[in-house]
Amino acid sequence: MGVRLTLATMALTLVGGAAAINWIVFDRVGYLADVVVTDPVEHATELYNSGKYREAEEYSSFWLSLPGADEDPQEHAAVQAVEQAAREKRSDISYQATEVTKGFLLDESVEDYGQAAGALSSLLVVGDIRDLVREGWHWTQGEEVDPFITSLSALGVALTAVSIGPQAPAGGAGKTGIAVLKAAKRANKIPPRLEKEILLAVRGGTKGMDKLAPVADLVKYGEKQGLAATMEVLAKSETLAEIPRVVRAAEKYGDSGRAMLRWGGKDVVRMTEKRGAAEVRAAARYGGDAVAKLERVPARALVRDIKHFTALTAEAAYATMKLFLQVVEILFGAVAFILSGLGMMKTAAEFLARLVLRV
Protein backbone atom coordinates (compact mmCIF):
# COMPACT_ATOMS: atom_id res chain seq x y z
CA MET A 1 0.00 0.00 0.00
CA GLY A 2 2.77 2.43 0.97
CA VAL A 3 4.78 1.68 -2.20
CA ARG A 4 1.76 2.22 -4.43
CA LEU A 5 0.90 5.46 -2.68
CA THR A 6 4.49 6.67 -3.07
CA LEU A 7 4.50 5.80 -6.77
CA ALA A 8 1.14 7.48 -7.28
CA THR A 9 2.39 10.60 -5.52
CA MET A 10 5.55 10.65 -7.64
CA ALA A 11 3.54 10.23 -10.82
CA LEU A 12 1.17 13.05 -9.90
CA THR A 13 4.15 15.24 -9.04
CA LEU A 14 5.67 14.57 -12.46
CA VAL A 15 2.34 15.32 -14.14
CA GLY A 16 2.04 18.58 -12.27
CA GLY A 17 5.63 19.49 -13.01
CA ALA A 18 5.27 18.72 -16.71
CA ALA A 19 2.05 20.71 -16.88
CA ALA A 20 3.70 23.65 -15.11
CA ILE A 21 6.72 23.57 -17.44
CA ASN A 22 4.43 23.30 -20.44
CA TRP A 23 2.56 26.44 -19.36
CA ILE A 24 5.60 28.45 -18.33
CA VAL A 25 7.68 27.54 -21.36
CA PHE A 26 5.04 27.18 -24.09
CA ASP A 27 1.43 28.05 -23.33
CA ARG A 28 2.28 31.51 -21.97
CA VAL A 29 3.70 32.47 -25.35
CA GLY A 30 1.36 30.28 -27.39
CA TYR A 31 -0.30 33.37 -28.85
CA LEU A 32 2.89 33.87 -30.88
CA ALA A 33 2.58 30.50 -32.65
CA ASP A 34 1.31 32.13 -35.86
CA VAL A 35 3.80 35.02 -35.83
CA VAL A 36 6.41 35.09 -38.56
CA VAL A 37 9.30 37.02 -37.03
CA THR A 38 11.12 39.00 -39.72
CA ASP A 39 14.85 38.35 -39.96
CA PRO A 40 16.20 41.83 -40.80
CA VAL A 41 19.40 40.61 -42.43
CA GLU A 42 17.60 38.08 -44.57
CA HIS A 43 14.86 40.54 -45.57
CA ALA A 44 17.23 43.40 -46.39
CA THR A 45 19.50 41.09 -48.39
CA GLU A 46 16.56 39.65 -50.32
CA LEU A 47 15.41 43.14 -51.31
CA TYR A 48 18.91 44.06 -52.44
CA ASN A 49 19.44 40.87 -54.44
CA SER A 50 16.08 41.45 -56.15
CA GLY A 51 17.31 44.82 -57.43
CA LYS A 52 14.99 46.74 -55.11
CA TYR A 53 17.74 49.05 -53.97
CA ARG A 54 15.50 51.79 -52.66
CA GLU A 55 13.47 49.39 -50.56
CA ALA A 56 16.63 47.67 -49.34
CA GLU A 57 18.14 50.95 -48.16
CA GLU A 58 14.92 52.30 -46.66
CA TYR A 59 14.09 49.06 -44.85
CA SER A 60 17.63 48.84 -43.46
CA SER A 61 17.61 52.47 -42.30
CA PHE A 62 14.17 52.00 -40.77
CA TRP A 63 15.13 48.82 -38.91
CA LEU A 64 18.38 50.33 -37.64
CA SER A 65 16.40 53.23 -36.15
CA LEU A 66 14.11 50.98 -34.09
CA PRO A 67 14.54 50.35 -30.35
CA GLY A 68 16.79 47.39 -29.58
CA ALA A 69 18.22 47.10 -33.10
CA ASP A 70 21.75 47.25 -31.69
CA GLU A 71 21.31 44.38 -29.20
CA ASP A 72 23.04 41.96 -31.56
CA PRO A 73 26.19 43.70 -32.92
CA GLN A 74 26.67 41.14 -35.69
CA GLU A 75 23.11 41.48 -36.93
CA HIS A 76 23.32 45.27 -36.68
CA ALA A 77 26.53 45.36 -38.74
CA ALA A 78 25.07 43.06 -41.42
CA VAL A 79 22.02 45.29 -41.91
CA GLN A 80 24.28 48.35 -42.05
CA ALA A 81 26.30 46.68 -44.80
CA VAL A 82 23.18 46.15 -46.92
CA GLU A 83 22.13 49.75 -46.29
CA GLN A 84 25.49 51.03 -47.51
CA ALA A 85 25.55 48.79 -50.59
CA ALA A 86 22.05 49.86 -51.60
CA ARG A 87 22.91 53.53 -51.09
CA GLU A 88 25.90 53.18 -53.40
CA LYS A 89 23.75 51.55 -56.08
CA ARG A 90 21.18 54.36 -55.86
CA SER A 91 23.87 57.04 -56.16
CA ASP A 92 25.07 55.68 -59.50
CA ILE A 93 24.39 58.18 -62.32
CA SER A 94 23.23 55.56 -64.81
CA TYR A 95 20.74 54.17 -62.30
CA GLN A 96 19.32 57.65 -61.67
CA ALA A 97 19.05 58.42 -65.39
CA THR A 98 17.22 55.13 -65.99
CA GLU A 99 14.74 55.85 -63.20
CA VAL A 100 13.99 59.36 -64.51
CA THR A 101 13.40 57.98 -68.01
CA LYS A 102 11.18 55.19 -66.72
CA GLY A 103 9.23 57.69 -64.67
CA PHE A 104 8.61 60.24 -67.44
CA LEU A 105 7.94 57.81 -70.26
CA LEU A 106 6.31 54.89 -68.45
CA ASP A 107 5.37 56.27 -65.02
CA GLU A 108 6.98 53.18 -63.47
CA SER A 109 9.94 54.48 -61.46
CA VAL A 110 10.54 53.36 -57.86
CA GLU A 111 12.46 56.53 -56.97
CA ASP A 112 10.91 59.81 -55.87
CA TYR A 113 12.61 61.76 -58.62
CA GLY A 114 11.43 59.24 -61.23
CA GLN A 115 7.89 59.29 -59.85
CA ALA A 116 8.02 63.08 -59.84
CA ALA A 117 8.96 62.95 -63.51
CA GLY A 118 5.96 60.73 -64.16
CA ALA A 119 3.71 63.09 -62.22
CA LEU A 120 5.13 66.04 -64.16
CA SER A 121 4.28 64.35 -67.44
CA SER A 122 0.69 64.01 -66.23
CA LEU A 123 0.54 67.62 -65.11
CA LEU A 124 1.74 68.65 -68.57
CA VAL A 125 -1.00 66.47 -70.15
CA VAL A 126 1.77 64.53 -71.94
CA GLY A 127 1.32 61.67 -69.48
CA ASP A 128 -2.46 61.60 -69.81
CA ILE A 129 -2.26 61.46 -73.59
CA ARG A 130 0.51 58.86 -73.37
CA ASP A 131 -1.63 56.65 -71.14
CA LEU A 132 -4.74 57.06 -73.31
CA VAL A 133 -2.77 56.11 -76.40
CA ARG A 134 -1.27 53.10 -74.63
CA GLU A 135 -4.63 51.87 -73.36
CA GLY A 136 -6.15 52.51 -76.80
CA TRP A 137 -3.46 50.34 -78.34
CA HIS A 138 -4.30 47.57 -75.90
CA TRP A 139 -7.95 47.82 -76.96
CA THR A 140 -7.16 47.61 -80.68
CA GLN A 141 -5.04 44.53 -80.00
CA GLY A 142 -7.83 42.84 -78.07
CA GLU A 143 -5.82 43.14 -74.85
CA GLU A 144 -7.13 44.11 -71.44
CA VAL A 145 -7.70 47.82 -70.94
CA ASP A 146 -7.21 49.36 -67.48
CA PRO A 147 -10.42 51.32 -66.80
CA PHE A 148 -8.83 53.07 -63.80
CA ILE A 149 -5.89 54.53 -65.74
CA THR A 150 -8.09 55.31 -68.75
CA SER A 151 -10.69 57.17 -66.70
CA LEU A 152 -8.09 59.13 -64.74
CA SER A 153 -6.26 60.08 -67.93
CA ALA A 154 -9.46 61.26 -69.60
CA LEU A 155 -10.31 63.35 -66.54
CA GLY A 156 -6.77 64.71 -66.54
CA VAL A 157 -7.13 65.90 -70.11
CA ALA A 158 -10.45 67.55 -69.22
CA LEU A 159 -8.89 69.27 -66.21
CA THR A 160 -6.10 70.64 -68.38
CA ALA A 161 -8.70 72.88 -70.01
CA VAL A 162 -10.06 73.84 -66.59
CA SER A 163 -6.53 74.78 -65.53
CA ILE A 164 -6.58 77.67 -67.97
CA GLY A 165 -8.17 80.84 -66.66
CA PRO A 166 -9.80 81.70 -63.28
CA GLN A 167 -10.32 78.03 -62.42
CA ALA A 168 -6.60 77.26 -62.70
CA PRO A 169 -5.94 76.60 -58.97
CA ALA A 170 -8.78 74.08 -58.69
CA GLY A 171 -7.82 72.35 -61.91
CA GLY A 172 -4.16 72.22 -60.95
CA ALA A 173 -4.94 70.67 -57.57
CA GLY A 174 -7.18 68.11 -59.25
CA LYS A 175 -4.46 67.13 -61.71
CA THR A 176 -1.97 66.71 -58.88
CA GLY A 177 -4.36 64.28 -57.21
CA ILE A 178 -4.83 62.39 -60.48
CA ALA A 179 -1.07 62.13 -60.99
CA VAL A 180 -0.69 60.67 -57.49
CA LEU A 181 -3.49 58.15 -58.02
CA LYS A 182 -2.12 56.99 -61.36
CA ALA A 183 1.36 56.53 -59.94
CA ALA A 184 -0.07 54.56 -57.02
CA LYS A 185 -2.10 52.36 -59.35
CA ARG A 186 0.97 51.48 -61.40
CA ALA A 187 2.79 50.62 -58.18
CA ASN A 188 -0.10 48.34 -57.08
CA LYS A 189 -0.69 50.50 -54.03
CA ILE A 190 -4.47 50.94 -54.29
CA PRO A 191 -6.71 48.36 -52.54
CA PRO A 192 -9.60 47.01 -54.68
CA ARG A 193 -12.39 48.67 -52.70
CA LEU A 194 -10.65 52.04 -52.76
CA GLU A 195 -10.00 51.70 -56.49
CA LYS A 196 -13.68 51.04 -57.09
CA GLU A 197 -14.70 54.13 -55.08
CA ILE A 198 -12.23 56.33 -56.95
CA LEU A 199 -13.34 54.96 -60.31
CA LEU A 200 -16.99 55.73 -59.56
CA ALA A 201 -16.06 59.26 -58.51
CA VAL A 202 -13.88 59.82 -61.58
CA ARG A 203 -16.60 58.63 -63.93
CA GLY A 204 -18.76 61.36 -62.48
CA GLY A 205 -16.57 63.87 -64.34
CA THR A 206 -15.53 67.15 -62.77
CA LYS A 207 -18.55 66.94 -60.43
CA GLY A 208 -17.23 63.66 -59.11
CA MET A 209 -14.14 65.43 -57.83
CA ASP A 210 -16.13 66.43 -54.72
CA LYS A 211 -16.16 62.76 -53.70
CA LEU A 212 -12.39 62.76 -53.96
CA ALA A 213 -12.05 65.44 -51.28
CA PRO A 214 -10.03 63.13 -48.94
CA VAL A 215 -7.33 63.02 -51.63
CA ALA A 216 -6.58 66.65 -50.71
CA ASP A 217 -5.26 65.45 -47.33
CA LEU A 218 -3.13 62.96 -49.21
CA VAL A 219 -1.69 65.63 -51.50
CA LYS A 220 -0.81 67.85 -48.52
CA TYR A 221 0.93 64.95 -46.82
CA GLY A 222 2.80 64.21 -50.04
CA GLU A 223 4.03 67.80 -50.26
CA LYS A 224 5.86 67.22 -46.97
CA GLN A 225 6.88 63.57 -47.25
CA GLY A 226 7.06 62.83 -50.97
CA LEU A 227 5.10 60.88 -53.54
CA ALA A 228 6.24 57.48 -52.28
CA ALA A 229 4.81 58.27 -48.83
CA THR A 230 1.42 59.09 -50.34
CA MET A 231 1.40 55.71 -52.06
CA GLU A 232 1.85 53.92 -48.75
CA VAL A 233 -1.05 55.92 -47.31
CA LEU A 234 -3.22 54.74 -50.19
CA ALA A 235 -2.03 51.16 -49.69
CA LYS A 236 -3.33 51.23 -46.11
CA SER A 237 -6.63 52.98 -46.97
CA GLU A 238 -9.48 50.61 -47.80
CA THR A 239 -11.84 53.51 -48.59
CA LEU A 240 -11.64 57.20 -49.43
CA ALA A 241 -12.93 58.03 -45.95
CA GLU A 242 -9.97 56.22 -44.36
CA ILE A 243 -7.31 58.33 -46.09
CA PRO A 244 -7.27 61.15 -43.47
CA ARG A 245 -7.10 58.56 -40.68
CA VAL A 246 -4.09 56.86 -42.24
CA VAL A 247 -2.41 60.22 -42.81
CA ARG A 248 -2.82 61.08 -39.11
CA ALA A 249 -1.24 57.76 -38.10
CA ALA A 250 1.67 58.22 -40.51
CA GLU A 251 2.33 61.73 -39.24
CA LYS A 252 3.00 60.37 -35.76
CA TYR A 253 6.21 58.80 -37.09
CA GLY A 254 7.53 61.91 -38.80
CA ASP A 255 9.92 61.11 -41.64
CA SER A 256 9.61 57.39 -40.83
CA GLY A 257 5.89 57.39 -41.62
CA ARG A 258 6.30 55.85 -45.06
CA ALA A 259 8.56 53.10 -43.75
CA MET A 260 6.23 52.31 -40.84
CA LEU A 261 3.22 52.03 -43.15
CA ARG A 262 5.28 49.92 -45.55
CA TRP A 263 6.70 47.45 -43.04
CA GLY A 264 4.46 47.79 -39.99
CA GLY A 265 1.91 45.24 -41.21
CA LYS A 266 -1.79 45.42 -42.00
CA ASP A 267 -2.76 46.50 -38.48
CA VAL A 268 -0.21 49.29 -38.08
CA VAL A 269 -2.76 52.12 -38.26
CA ARG A 270 -5.13 50.54 -35.75
CA MET A 271 -2.30 49.63 -33.38
CA THR A 272 -0.91 53.17 -33.61
CA GLU A 273 -4.31 54.45 -32.50
CA LYS A 274 -4.62 51.81 -29.77
CA ARG A 275 -1.07 51.66 -28.34
CA GLY A 276 0.73 54.75 -29.61
CA ALA A 277 3.72 55.27 -31.90
CA ALA A 278 6.38 54.32 -29.33
CA GLU A 279 4.83 50.89 -28.69
CA VAL A 280 4.43 50.17 -32.38
CA ARG A 281 8.04 51.13 -33.05
CA ALA A 282 9.20 48.65 -30.41
CA ALA A 283 7.17 45.82 -31.95
CA ALA A 284 8.01 46.70 -35.56
CA ARG A 285 11.55 45.47 -35.04
CA TYR A 286 10.15 41.95 -35.40
CA GLY A 287 7.84 42.64 -38.36
CA GLY A 288 4.18 43.23 -39.14
CA ASP A 289 2.93 40.06 -37.45
CA ALA A 290 4.45 41.24 -34.18
CA VAL A 291 2.78 44.65 -34.49
CA ALA A 292 -0.59 42.90 -34.84
CA LYS A 293 -0.02 41.11 -31.51
CA LEU A 294 -0.09 44.47 -29.71
CA GLU A 295 -3.82 43.84 -29.76
CA ARG A 296 -3.22 41.32 -26.98
CA VAL A 297 -0.28 42.61 -24.94
CA PRO A 298 1.71 45.86 -24.58
CA ALA A 299 5.06 46.19 -26.34
CA ARG A 300 7.22 45.47 -23.30
CA ALA A 301 5.57 42.09 -22.69
CA LEU A 302 5.46 41.33 -26.40
CA VAL A 303 9.19 41.91 -26.90
CA ARG A 304 9.98 39.75 -23.84
CA ASP A 305 7.76 36.92 -25.10
CA ILE A 306 9.12 37.08 -28.65
CA LYS A 307 12.68 36.74 -27.36
CA HIS A 308 11.60 33.76 -25.27
CA PHE A 309 9.63 32.21 -28.13
CA THR A 310 12.34 32.64 -30.77
CA ALA A 311 14.88 31.07 -28.43
CA LEU A 312 12.65 27.99 -28.16
CA THR A 313 12.01 27.76 -31.88
CA ALA A 314 15.57 28.36 -33.01
CA GLU A 315 15.74 24.74 -34.16
CA ALA A 316 13.33 21.84 -33.84
CA ALA A 317 13.47 22.08 -30.06
CA TYR A 318 10.05 23.64 -29.67
CA ALA A 319 8.02 20.86 -31.27
CA THR A 320 10.16 18.08 -29.81
CA MET A 321 10.15 19.40 -26.26
CA LYS A 322 6.45 20.24 -26.28
CA LEU A 323 5.59 16.78 -27.57
CA PHE A 324 7.77 15.23 -24.87
CA LEU A 325 6.02 17.22 -22.14
CA GLN A 326 2.61 16.28 -23.46
CA VAL A 327 3.60 12.60 -23.51
CA VAL A 328 4.86 12.89 -19.95
CA GLU A 329 1.57 14.42 -18.85
CA ILE A 330 -0.49 11.71 -20.54
CA LEU A 331 1.76 8.78 -19.54
CA PHE A 332 2.22 9.64 -15.92
CA GLY A 333 -1.37 10.75 -15.66
CA ALA A 334 -2.41 7.29 -16.74
CA VAL A 335 0.07 5.68 -14.33
CA ALA A 336 -1.22 7.78 -11.45
CA PHE A 337 -4.79 6.86 -12.33
CA ILE A 338 -4.01 3.14 -12.48
CA LEU A 339 -2.03 3.16 -9.27
CA SER A 340 -4.66 5.17 -7.50
CA GLY A 341 -7.31 2.80 -8.83
CA LEU A 342 -5.40 -0.25 -7.64
CA GLY A 343 -4.99 1.31 -4.23
CA MET A 344 -8.70 2.04 -4.02
CA MET A 345 -9.56 -1.49 -5.16
CA LYS A 346 -7.31 -3.03 -2.49
CA THR A 347 -8.80 -0.84 0.21
CA ALA A 348 -12.31 -1.80 -0.90
CA ALA A 349 -11.43 -5.52 -0.94
CA GLU A 350 -9.98 -5.33 2.56
CA PHE A 351 -13.08 -3.52 3.78
CA LEU A 352 -15.41 -6.16 2.25
CA ALA A 353 -13.29 -8.97 3.75
CA ARG A 354 -13.65 -7.50 7.20
CA LEU A 355 -17.42 -7.25 6.74
CA VAL A 356 -17.62 -10.92 5.66
CA LEU A 357 -15.54 -12.10 8.59
CA ARG A 358 -17.80 -10.19 11.00
CA VAL A 359 -20.87 -11.87 9.51
Side-chain angles (χ1 to χ4, degrees):
M1 179 68 176
V3 174
R4 290 195 184 92
L5 180 59
T6 300
L7 289 174
T9 302
M10 289 175 60
L12 289 172
T13 301
L14 286 170
V15 170
I21 293 172
N22 198 25
W23 182 85
I24 294 171
V25 177
F26 296 106
D27 291 345
R28 182 174 61 82
V29 294
Y31 71 96
L32 297 174
D34 61 342
V35 170
V36 177
V37 175
T38 301
D39 183 318
V41 179
E42 181 180 307
H43 187 56
T45 302
E46 181 181 350
L47 290 171
Y48 181 85
N49 290 339
S50 300
K52 298 178 181 178
Y53 304 125
R54 174 177 183 158
E55 289 196 39
E57 181 182 348
E58 291 191 345
Y59 171 75
S60 299
S61 299
F62 170 66
W63 186 85
L64 291 168
S65 72
L66 296 175
D70 57 354
E71 286 185 0
D72 184 335
Q74 187 174 1
E75 182 179 63
H76 189 271
V79 176
Q80 277 187 321
V82 176
E83 178 190 34
Q84 180 61 32
R87 183 178 295 121
E88 290 175 359
K89 283 285 187 180
R90 294 178 69 201
S91 64
D92 183 77
I93 297 298
S94 62
Y95 171 83
Q96 295 174 359
T98 299
E99 288 301 314
V100 170
T101 303
K102 286 166 59 179
F104 191 83
L105 296 180
L106 303 174
D107 199 14
E108 294 178 355
S109 175
V110 298
E111 296 289 348
D112 273 346
Y113 49 81
Q115 292 164 356
L120 176 62
S121 69
S122 292
L123 292 174
L124 296 175
V125 84
V126 174
D128 292 324
I129 294 175
R130 171 203 64 203
D131 292 337
L132 285 173
V133 170
R134 181 162 50 191
E135 295 304 321
W137 173 257
H138 290 164
W139 181 74
T140 61
Q141 298 301 307
E143 299 173 358
E144 185 176 354
V145 175
D146 190 325
F148 189 82
I149 295 294
T150 302
S151 298
L152 283 173
S153 299
L155 182 59
V157 172
L159 285 175
T160 299
V162 177
S163 299
I164 303 173
Q167 307 95 333
K175 285 183 65 61
T176 300
I178 287 174
V180 169
L181 293 173
K182 286 170 66 176
K185 167 63 176 177
R186 294 203 188 285
N188 295 316
K189 293 292 185 180
I190 302 183
R193 184 178 172 187
L194 177 61
E195 180 176 336
K196 183 178 180 180
E197 280 194 12
I198 294 172
L199 188 57
L200 289 173
V202 169
R203 285 176 173 171
T206 53
K207 293 182 180 179
M209 293 298 287
D210 292 339
K211 298 178 182 180
L212 294 174
V215 177
D217 288 353
L218 185 68
V219 172
K220 290 179 181 177
Y221 179 68
E223 290 173 352
K224 295 182 292 183
Q225 297 296 337
L227 182 58
T230 67
M231 293 186 188
E232 296 305 330
V233 170
L234 285 169
K236 286 293 186 293
S237 303
E238 291 296 326
T239 65
L240 283 166
E242 283 190 2
I243 289 176
R245 175 191 173 201
V246 178
V247 167
R248 287 193 297 271
E251 288 176 335
K252 294 181 183 298
Y253 299 97
D255 292 340
S256 298
R258 174 186 181 274
M260 185 57 77
L261 292 179
R262 175 71 177 82
W263 289 291
K266 62 184 179 62
D267 295 313
V268 65
V269 173
R270 188 165 58 87
M271 290 303 101
T272 298
E273 295 170 339
K274 181 182 177 70
R275 297 288 188 182
E279 296 247 323
V280 173
R281 280 177 55 80
R285 172 185 165 195
Y286 299 99
D289 282 359
V291 171
K293 292 303 179 181
L294 288 173
E295 178 71 46
R296 175 162 177 164
V297 296
R300 184 176 180 180
L302 178 66
V303 170
R304 176 201 65 204
D305 289 346
I306 286 179
K307 289 179 180 178
H308 179 67
F309 187 79
T310 52
L312 291 172
T313 57
E315 298 177 0
Y318 177 81
T320 303
M321 187 173 178
K322 186 171 179 63
L323 177 62
F324 170 74
L325 289 170
Q326 290 174 337
V327 169
V328 169
E329 286 184 57
I330 295 171
L331 179 61
F332 283 100
V335 171
F337 176 78
I338 292 171
L339 290 175
S340 298
L342 289 174
M344 292 175 63
M345 289 175 62
K346 181 179 180 181
T347 301
E350 291 175 348
F351 176 73
L352 289 173
R354 286 196 296 268
L355 285 178
V356 171
L357 290 173
R358 287 178 183 178
V359 172

